[in-house]
Amino acid sequence: MELSILINKFNVKGRLVSLQPFGNGNINDTFLAIYRNTFSETQVILQRINRAVFPRPEEIMQNMHEVTKHCHEKLEADAESGRDDRVWQMPRIIKSKDSKDYVVDDKGEVWRVITRIMSAHAFDLAQGPEHAMECGAALGHFHYLISDMDPASVKDPLPGFHITSQYLAAYDRTLESADAKELLGASMEAKRMAKFIEERRDLALCLERAEAKGELARRMFHGDPKVNNIMIDDVTGKGTAMIDLDTVSPGLIHIDFGDALRSICNPAGEEETNLAKVVFDEDLCTAFCKGYMREAGAFLTDAEREYLFDSIRLLPFELGLRFFQDYLAGDVYFKVKQPEQNLNRARVQFRLCESIEARERSIRNLLKKL
Ligand code: GN1
Ligand code: MG
């Protein structure tokens, strides 16, 4: 179906003047649509939910419905009570003309339209400590917003998501295949990476063990708080919204903390090919943590603080493992533009993990001061 015919099934006022691919997501297909009439303009985001990743896209939309309903009510109450120093925002689902939260096309693909947060941008790379601090504040505020949601009100969006032991198991299964063996045999680089993983099998389990021991408990988390999912207000430079709400569900907030830091403290970004540029930037880490703690510090337990370093080390390892497994499996999960892109993405994350290991003492010290 033509995209313009598809988007016409949603209830947006005005005349469609532009519909273009938008953003750099690795999973869903995203487009920006601009509508105009004689006196104003509306911009909305059209997205196709990736069915190869999310087994039940309809449930993703039910979850989004619940999350946005809960947060919009809380945001409005907070705005009225004057709690905040700014207007925090969150995208809203735009209904279809038949009043549904999504449209299913003739191929069974699930599409949605959401509002665009205007006069704000998300960056692919950290811009400096001020930006990192605002990213921390936005994630901390988001954790506050979802903290009192009923976990039973959302369905598991992605079974096994951020359960590192399951990614290891998937990796082991992939290694059994002839194609993966061939890819591994053909490259020194890939062999080094396989060794890197072997040396850290135990690390992979650090948070899962803490949860099993009862030291950490699940709360509601975002699941994908990387830097380009954090919107910054163009006018004030302050964090204003977290976007990409597909994976909001019960989980360890450490996952969010580690995932945000692996993204924000690597100013070279996820696609860097010169590994010498990939380092964990402690100034950005300090700034992020300050912003985060200002918004969410009050509800962190001592045990949760104990595991912050482990989460910072774990998340780049986990993402590197996911990219590497996908490379060996033939790039079936993360979208690629070049053949070895997932291999290179994995190299970057493993390099970042090494950089974190080399700075362990100093990162632990900065975390103690929070
Ligand atoms: C994916 O949707 P996007 O591109 O922001 C992935 C994240 C990874 C990220 C790495 C559902 O996120 O877990 O951290 O790529 N999302 C899912 O860039 O797997
Ligand atoms: Mg995402």
Coordinates of all heavy atoms in Angstrom, one line a residue, residues 24-28 53-54 158 161-162 223-224 226 228-229 244 247 259 262 270 319 322-323 333-334, ligand 1:
N24 N 17.1 7.5 13.0 CA 18.1 6.4 12.7 C 17.8 5.1 13.5 O 18.7 4.5 13.9 CB 19.5 6.9 13.1 CG 20.0 8.0 12.2 OD1 19.7 7.9 11.0 ND2 20.7 8.9 12.7
G25 N 16.5 4.8 13.7 CA 16.2 3.6 14.5 C 16.7 2.3 13.8 O 16.8 2.2 12.6
N26 N 17.1 1.3 14.6 CA 17.6 0.1 14.1 C 16.5 -1.0 13.9 O 16.8 -2.0 13.4 CB 18.6 -0.5 15.1 CG 19.9 0.3 15.1 OD1 20.3 0.9 14.1 ND2 20.5 0.3 16.3
I27 N 15.3 -0.6 14.3 CA 14.2 -1.7 14.4 C 13.0 -1.3 13.5 O 12.8 -1.9 12.5 CB 13.8 -1.9 15.8 CG1 15.0 -2.2 16.8 CG2 12.7 -3.0 15.9 CD1 15.6 -3.5 16.6
N28 N 12.3 -0.3 13.9 CA 11.1 0.1 13.2 C 11.4 1.0 12.0 O 12.4 1.6 11.9 CB 10.1 0.8 14.1 CG 9.6 -0.1 15.3 OD1 9.5 -1.3 15.1 ND2 9.4 0.5 16.4
V53 N 10.9 -8.4 15.0 CA 11.4 -8.1 16.4 C 10.3 -8.3 17.4 O 10.5 -9.0 18.4 CB 12.0 -6.7 16.5 CG1 12.3 -6.4 17.9 CG2 13.3 -6.7 15.6
F54 N 9.2 -7.6 17.2 CA 8.1 -7.6 18.2 C 7.1 -8.7 17.8 O 6.4 -8.4 16.8 CB 7.5 -6.3 18.3 CG 8.4 -5.2 18.9 CD1 8.9 -4.2 18.0 CD2 8.8 -5.2 20.2 CE1 9.8 -3.2 18.5 CE2 9.7 -4.3 20.7 CZ 10.2 -3.3 19.8
L158 N 8.7 -8.1 24.5 CA 9.8 -8.8 23.8 C 10.4 -9.8 24.7 O 11.3 -9.5 25.5 CB 10.8 -7.7 23.4 CG 11.8 -8.0 22.3 CD1 11.2 -8.5 21.1 CD2 12.6 -6.7 22.0
F161 N 14.0 -9.9 26.4 CA 14.7 -8.6 26.2 C 15.6 -8.2 27.4 O 15.1 -8.2 28.5 CB 13.6 -7.5 25.9 CG 14.2 -6.2 25.4 CD1 15.1 -6.2 24.4 CD2 13.8 -5.0 26.0 CE1 15.5 -4.9 23.9 CE2 14.2 -3.8 25.5 CZ 15.1 -3.8 24.5
H162 N 16.8 -7.9 27.2 CA 17.8 -7.5 28.2 C 18.0 -8.6 29.3 O 18.4 -8.3 30.4 CB 17.4 -6.2 28.9 CG 17.6 -5.0 28.0 ND1 18.8 -4.8 27.4 CD2 16.8 -4.0 27.7 CE1 18.8 -3.7 26.7 NE2 17.5 -3.2 26.8
G223 N 13.7 0.6 28.7 CA 14.2 -0.5 27.9 C 15.1 -0.1 26.8 O 15.8 -0.9 26.2
D224 N 15.0 1.2 26.4 CA 15.9 1.6 25.2 C 16.2 3.1 25.3 O 15.9 3.9 24.4 CB 15.1 1.3 23.9 CG 15.9 1.6 22.7 OD1 17.1 1.8 22.8 OD2 15.3 1.5 21.6
K226 N 18.6 5.1 24.9 CA 19.8 5.6 24.3 C 19.7 7.0 23.9 O 18.5 7.6 23.8 CB 20.3 4.7 23.1 CG 19.4 4.8 21.9 CD 19.9 3.8 20.8 CE 19.3 4.0 19.5 NZ 19.8 3.1 18.5
N228 N 19.7 8.9 21.4 CA 18.8 9.5 20.4 C 17.3 9.2 20.7 O 16.4 9.5 19.9 CB 19.2 9.1 19.0 CG 19.1 7.7 18.6 OD1 18.5 6.9 19.4 ND2 19.6 7.3 17.5
N229 N 17.0 8.6 21.9 CA 15.6 8.5 22.3 C 15.3 9.6 23.4 O 14.3 9.5 24.1 CB 15.3 7.1 22.8 CG 15.1 6.1 21.7 OD1 14.7 6.5 20.6 ND2 15.4 4.9 21.9
D244 N 10.3 6.6 21.9 CA 10.5 5.2 21.7 C 10.0 4.3 22.9 O 10.8 3.8 23.7 CB 11.9 4.8 21.3 CG 12.0 3.4 20.8 OD1 11.0 2.7 20.8 OD2 13.1 3.1 20.3
T247 N 9.3 -0.6 24.5 CA 9.8 -1.6 25.5 C 9.5 -1.2 26.9 O 10.1 -1.9 27.8 CB 11.3 -1.9 25.2 OG1 12.0 -0.6 25.1 CG2 11.5 -2.6 23.9
D259 N 22.4 1.2 30.0 CA 22.1 1.4 28.5 C 22.3 2.9 28.1 O 22.8 3.2 27.1 CB 20.8 0.9 28.1 CG 20.7 0.5 26.7 OD1 21.7 0.0 26.1 OD2 19.6 0.8 26.0
R262 N 26.1 3.7 28.3 CA 26.9 3.2 27.2 C 26.7 4.0 26.0 O 27.6 4.1 25.1 CB 26.6 1.7 27.0 CG 25.2 1.4 26.4 CD 25.2 0.4 25.3 NE 23.9 0.5 24.6 CZ 23.7 1.3 23.6 NH1 24.6 2.0 23.0 NH2 22.5 1.4 23.1
E270 N 27.8 4.8 18.0 CA 27.7 3.3 17.8 C 28.3 2.8 16.5 O 28.5 1.6 16.3 CB 26.2 2.8 17.9 CG 25.7 2.9 19.3 CD 24.2 2.5 19.4 OE1 23.7 1.8 18.5 OE2 23.6 2.9 20.4
L319 N 25.0 -5.5 24.5 CA 24.7 -5.0 23.2 C 25.7 -5.5 22.1 O 25.3 -5.9 21.0 CB 24.6 -3.5 23.1 CG 24.1 -2.9 21.8 CD1 22.8 -3.4 21.4 CD2 24.1 -1.4 21.9
R322 N 24.8 -8.9 21.3 CA 23.6 -9.0 20.5 C 23.9 -8.7 19.0 O 23.4 -9.3 18.1 CB 22.5 -8.0 21.0 CG 21.9 -8.4 22.3 CD 21.1 -7.2 22.9 NE 19.9 -7.0 22.1 CZ 19.2 -5.8 22.1 NH1 19.5 -4.9 23.0 NH2 18.1 -5.7 21.4
F323 N 24.8 -7.6 18.8 CA 25.2 -7.3 17.5 C 26.0 -8.4 16.8 O 25.8 -8.7 15.7 CB 26.1 -6.0 17.5 CG 25.3 -4.7 17.7 CD1 25.8 -3.7 18.5 CD2 24.1 -4.4 17.0 CE1 25.2 -2.4 18.6 CE2 23.4 -3.2 17.1 CZ 24.0 -2.2 17.9
Y333 N 18.1 -9.2 12.8 CA 17.4 -8.4 13.8 C 17.6 -6.9 13.6 O 16.7 -6.1 13.4 CB 17.9 -8.9 15.2 CG 17.1 -8.3 16.4 CD1 16.2 -9.0 17.1 CD2 17.5 -7.0 16.9 CE1 15.5 -8.4 18.2 CE2 16.8 -6.5 18.0 CZ 15.8 -7.2 18.6 OH 15.2 -6.6 19.7
F334 N 18.9 -6.5 13.7 CA 19.2 -5.1 13.5 C 19.4 -4.7 12.1 O 20.1 -5.4 11.3 CB 20.5 -4.7 14.3 CG 20.5 -4.9 15.7 CD1 21.0 -6.1 16.3 CD2 19.9 -4.0 16.6 CE1 21.0 -6.2 17.7 CE2 19.8 -4.2 17.9 CZ 20.4 -5.3 18.5
Ligands
GN1_1 C1 17.6 -0.8 19.1 O1 14.9 1.1 18.3 P1 16.4 1.5 18.5 O2 17.2 1.5 17.2 O3 16.5 2.7 19.3 C2 17.3 -1.9 20.2 C3 18.0 -1.5 21.4 C4 19.5 -1.2 21.2 C5 19.7 -0.2 20.1 C6 21.1 0.0 19.7 C7 13.9 -3.3 20.6 O4 17.0 0.4 19.4 O5 17.9 -2.5 22.4 O6 20.2 -0.8 22.3 O7 19.0 -0.6 18.9 N1 15.9 -2.1 20.4 C8 15.3 -3.3 20.4 O8 21.3 1.0 18.8 O9 16.0 -4.3 20.3

